C-alpha cells in the first residue's frame, strides 16, 4: 500500500529564512504528487502538483518542489518565509488517476518574526 | 475559479440525531469525496463517488452513508450521530486534472 511520510510534524523558521518541508512516498511507479496548504479554519488549497512533466515544479506563493525518483522524495521549498506562510502543509500521492489520494500527516509551519 | 461549498461552517448536534452535510461543486467534476480531519490523524477518506448515484467506501465508512443524486451535489449522512463523530468534515471534488478542490469544511460537534 502506498504511504506518505512528512518528516517533522512542526517546523519553525524565521521570517526571511528558507522553508524546507520534507515529503517521502512509497510507490513502485512514479505517481502524481501534490502539496496542499491549509490555513486555520479553512479547507485545503493546492500549492503545486507533479504529473510526470518537469521534475522541478513551481507553485503559488513562491513555493516549489522537486521530484527525485531515486530518493522517492518531493520536498517543498521557499527561499524566503513570510508571516503569511504560517499554515499546515500536506503532501499527497496518487498512483494513477483511478486511485485514491493518500495524504501525509501534515506539517505545521510557524514563522517567527 | 472552482468553487466547492459546504452547507454549514459550524454545526452542533445531539447524540442520536440524524445529520446531513451537504456539498456542492460548480465545475462539473466527476469525482467527489468526503474526508474527516482530526488532530494527529490527518485526513481520512470516508466515502467517494465517481459518478452520479455511484459511491465507494473509503477508509472509515462506518457510521456514515452518502448520497449523490446530482452530479454537483454530494451529501454525507450521519444516521445516528455519536460523540466520536465530532470532527472537521471536508468535501472535495476533482476532474480530469487530478488535483482535488476542497470546500471550507464543516466543524461538527456532537454533544
Amino acid at each position: 500500500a502506498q504511504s506518505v511520510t512528512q518528516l517533522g510534524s512542526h517546523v519553525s523558521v524565521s521570517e526571511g529564512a528558507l522553508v524546507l518541508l520534507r515529503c517521502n512516498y512509497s510507490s513502485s511507479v512514479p505517481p502524481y504528487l501534490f502539496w496542499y496548504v491549509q490555513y486555520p479554519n479553512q479547507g485545503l488549497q493546492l500549492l503545486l502538483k507533479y504529473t510526470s512533466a518537469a521534475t522541478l515544479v513551481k507553485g503559488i506563493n513562491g513555493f516549489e518542489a522537486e521530484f527525485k525518483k531515486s530518493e522517492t522524495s518531493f520536498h517543498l521549498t521557499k527561499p524566503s518565509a513570510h508571516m503569511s506562510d504560517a499554515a499546515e502543509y500536506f503532501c499527497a500521492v496518487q498512483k494513477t488517476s483511478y486511485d485514491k489520494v493518500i495524504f501525509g500527516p501534515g506539517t505545521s509551519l510557524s514563522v517567527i518574526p | 475559479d472552482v468553487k466547492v461549498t459546504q452547507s454549514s461552517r459550524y454545526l452542533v448536534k445531539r447524540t442520536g440525531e440524524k445529520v446531513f452535510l451537504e456539498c456542492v461543486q460548480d465545475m462539473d467534476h466527476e469525482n467527489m469525496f468526503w474526508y474527516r480531519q482530526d488532530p494527529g490523524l490527518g485526513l481520512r477518506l470516508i466515502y467517494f463517488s465517481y459518478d452520479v448515484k455511484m459511491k465507494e467506501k473509503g477508509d472509515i465508512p462506518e457510521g456514515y452513508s452518502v448520497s449523490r443524486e446530482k452530479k454537483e451535489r454530494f451529501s454525507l449522512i450521519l444516521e445516528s450521530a455519536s460523540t466520536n463523530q465530532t470532527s472537521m468534515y471536508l468535501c472535495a471534488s476533482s476532474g480530469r486534472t487530478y488535483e482535488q478542490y476542497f470546500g471550507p469544511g464543516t466543524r461538527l460537534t456532537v454533544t
Side-chain angles (χ1 to χ4, degrees):
Chain A
Q2 286 192 92
S3 66
V4 179
T5 305
Q6 292 183 239
L7 188 63
S9 59
H10 188 88
V11 171
S12 291
V13 299
S14 297
E15 191 174 15
L18 171 73
V19 176
L20 170 61
L21 303 182
R22 299 178 187 274
C23 172
N24 288 87
Y25 64 91
S26 65
S27 177
S28 58
V29 296
Y32 302 116
L33 294 159
F34 310 90
W35 274 101
Y36 289 88
V37 61
Q38 185 180 32
Y39 299 103
N41 295 316
Q42 294 187 27
L44 279 69
Q45 177 185 357
L46 182 72
L47 270 179
L48 48 81
K49 66 178 180 181
Y50 166 79
T51 56
S52 76
T55 56
L56 183 63
V57 182
K58 293 188 184 299
I60 62 171
N61 301 339
F63 284 94
E64 61 182 38
E66 186 174 8
F67 171 65
K68 291 188 176 180
K69 183 180 176 182
S70 60
E71 299 177 7
T72 60
S73 68
F74 191 56
H75 302 331
L76 182 71
T77 60
K78 182 174 179 177
S80 176
H82 191 271
M83 295 299 293
S84 60
D85 295 326
E88 187 92 16
Y89 291 80
F90 294 91
C91 181
V93 60
Q94 185 177 15
K95 192 174 178 180
T96 72
S97 60
Y98 300 102
D99 287 297
K100 294 183 295 185
V101 174
I102 307 299
F103 287 87
T107 296
S108 177
L109 176 67
S110 298
V111 182
I112 304 164
Chain B
D1 266 1
V2 177
K3 199 149 194 177
V4 180
T5 57
Q6 295 184 228
S7 49
S8 304
R9 292 300 305 273
Y10 300 93
L11 209 53
V12 180
K13 294 293 182 180
R14 293 195 180 274
T15 301
E17 278 192 84
K18 191 169 187 176
V19 181
F20 293 88
L21 303 183
E22 305 283 341
C23 175
V24 178
Q25 51 95 2
D26 66 358
M27 280 301 292
D28 200 34
H29 281 167
E30 294 83 8
N31 312 314
M32 296 189 74
F33 309 84
W34 275 107
Y35 296 90
R36 64 177 283 177
Q37 184 179 22
D38 301 287
L41 297 176
L43 273 76
R44 292 181 291 169
L45 182 63
I46 305 171
Y47 268 97
F48 59 103
S49 169
Y50 287 141
D51 202 349
V52 175
K53 296 193 185 295
M54 290 183 63
K55 59 186 178 183
E56 298 283 344
K57 292 180 180 179
D59 300 316
I60 52 163
E62 297 78 19
Y64 303 94
S65 62
V66 291
S67 171
R68 193 167 181 199
E69 296 296 319
K70 293 185 177 182
K71 190 174 185 179
E72 67 271 18
R73 188 179 297 269
F74 193 35
S75 302
L76 180 70
I77 303 154
L78 287 65
E79 295 290 342
S80 177
S82 64
T83 54
N84 63 14
Q85 292 179 309
T86 291
S87 185
M88 169 72 95
Y89 289 88
L90 294 168
C91 175
S93 70
S94 70
R96 296 176 187 275
T97 55
Y98 314 123
E99 67 266 27
Q100 296 192 5
Y101 294 86
F102 285 81
T106 295
R107 189 167 293 281
L108 172 68
T109 301
V110 182
T111 61

